Amino acid sequence: MELDSRILHPGKQAGSQRGVLPKIAALFGFAASYLVPCELVTSPTRLDRLQDLNRILTILRRLGARGTQDAPFYAFGLHFNPEIPRQDAATLTAFMKSFALLNPWLRREASPDRTRELLGFADPFPADYVRRIVSLDYWPDISTFIDDYLSLNPTRNRDLDLLPLLHHLDAQRVRAVLPNEKINGRPTFHYRLPDARVSDPGWSIAPDWNRWVCVERLAADRERLDAVGSAYLSFEGEDKSWANVVEQIVRS
């Protein structure tokens, strides 16, 4: 458990930790603990241990932990960092295609609390980028994928933030575009969800995780992935209508 703010963790910064700055940060951290949310970070967790995380929610609830819905400024969220099954270009591209195609449905199902609507949440991927990557002939090498991603997504502000994974795969290429961005390379996707309703006894991480599994399943089925991509490219409706279409696909 730690405060979710970089300046409050001087021990994580590069360089010497001696002097006044760490003490100031510690004092500021104590004062900010009443305003800055606490972040619960887990070590890598096996699939058969996911239920343990829901037990943690029960304990936090008993201790008085609050959720997004409990105050207008509680912009809490849930983040998953699923490990990529294989660190190759085809796997990376398949997951990106699958997520981009399902994202209108995923965003609708997440139903962010009004707090996140007011304070803002991650922007969806640009339409031009989505249409480029879901094309049937888009299967680039890793270098080309990274260049294409950074050209239209030079930001952490996405539901599926690929920067940690791309930094892990080619740090030099990412740093050439984002030299000062806070990115910790790791072989995982970074899936950011807008709600953490910790105080609600009926809230669980399971529905959001199960929807992520839909992304994995579509990514693993090349024939189906191509078919959904073709349908998207010929679709002329709005995102809300496309969400209805892909809902039928993932439910079938």
Side-chain angles (χ1 to χ4, degrees):
M1 296 288 294
E2 58 186 31
L3 290 178
D4 187 14
S5 180
R6 192 179 189 187
I7 194 174
L8 306 184
H9 305 304
K12 291 187 175 181
Q13 307 303 315
S16 173
Q17 298 307 313
R18 298 179 179 178
V20 177
L21 180 58
K23 296 178 182 178
I24 294 175
L27 290 172
F28 179 65
F30 176 78
S33 64
Y34 293 95
L35 297 174
V36 180
C38 286
E39 183 176 32
L40 171 63
V41 185
T42 74
S43 59
T45 304
R46 299 185 329 195
L47 290 176
D48 59 1
R49 296 291 304 276
L50 287 180
Q51 69 273 13
D52 293 344
L53 302 182
N54 273 333
R55 296 193 187 106
I56 293 173
L57 291 177
T58 301
I59 295 170
L60 291 175
R61 203 172 293 127
R62 290 172 181 168
L63 293 172
R66 302 296 183 89
T68 318
Q69 77 280 15
D70 290 319
F73 54 87
Y74 283 176
F76 303 152
L78 170 68
H79 293 199
F80 290 126
N81 289 275
E83 185 177 11
I84 187 171
R86 289 173 298 279
Q87 297 182 41
D88 57 56
T91 302
L92 175 60
T93 303
F95 267 81
M96 188 65 251
K97 285 173 177 273
S98 178
F99 186 88
L101 289 167
L102 299 184
N103 200 22
W105 170 69
L106 292 169
R107 290 175 73 96
R108 187 191 70 188
E109 293 299 303
S111 301
D113 186 270
R114 188 168 297 275
T115 298
R116 295 314 297 258
E117 294 180 0
L118 295 174
L119 298 179
F121 180 58
D123 292 333
F125 288 98
D128 290 346
Y129 178 70
V130 174
R131 296 187 68 84
R132 179 190 301 182
I133 65 170
V134 303
S135 297
L136 270 62
D137 60 352
Y138 187 80
W139 293 96
D141 58 29
I142 286 180
S143 296
T144 302
F145 181 97
I146 294 175
D147 289 342
D148 289 346
Y149 184 90
L150 293 174
S151 68
L152 288 173
N153 304 284
T155 175
R156 298 167 60 199
N157 189 36
R158 295 288 184 265
D159 319 50
L160 189 64
D161 173 18
L162 290 190
L163 293 181
L165 175 56
L166 301 186
H167 188 280
H168 170 79
L169 295 172
D170 192 337
Q172 185 175 359
R173 189 173 295 272
V174 173
R175 286 301 177 191
V177 177
L178 298 169
N180 301 314
E181 187 66 80
K182 178 190 173 185
I183 308 170
N184 296 317
R186 54 185 181 269
T188 69
F189 300 100
H190 183 198
Y191 181 27
R192 304 166 66 224
L193 291 146
D195 248 355
R197 305 175 69 86
V198 180
S199 60
D200 181 353
W203 186 77
S204 165
I205 68 170
D208 288 314
W209 177 256
N210 290 338
R211 284 188 284 271
W212 170 259
V213 172
C214 292
V215 175
E216 294 191 343
R217 288 175 175 169
L218 182 59
D221 188 339
R222 175 67 180 272
E223 183 177 352
R224 198 178 195 196
L225 184 62
D226 285 346
V228 179
S230 295
Y232 177 85
L233 292 173
S234 62
F235 186 78
E236 298 182 351
E238 299 179 354
D239 277 355
K240 291 182 178 180
S241 299
W242 176 251
N244 294 331
V245 173
V246 294
E247 180 180 28
Q248 299 306 313
I249 293 171
V250 299
R251 302 296 188 196
S252 63

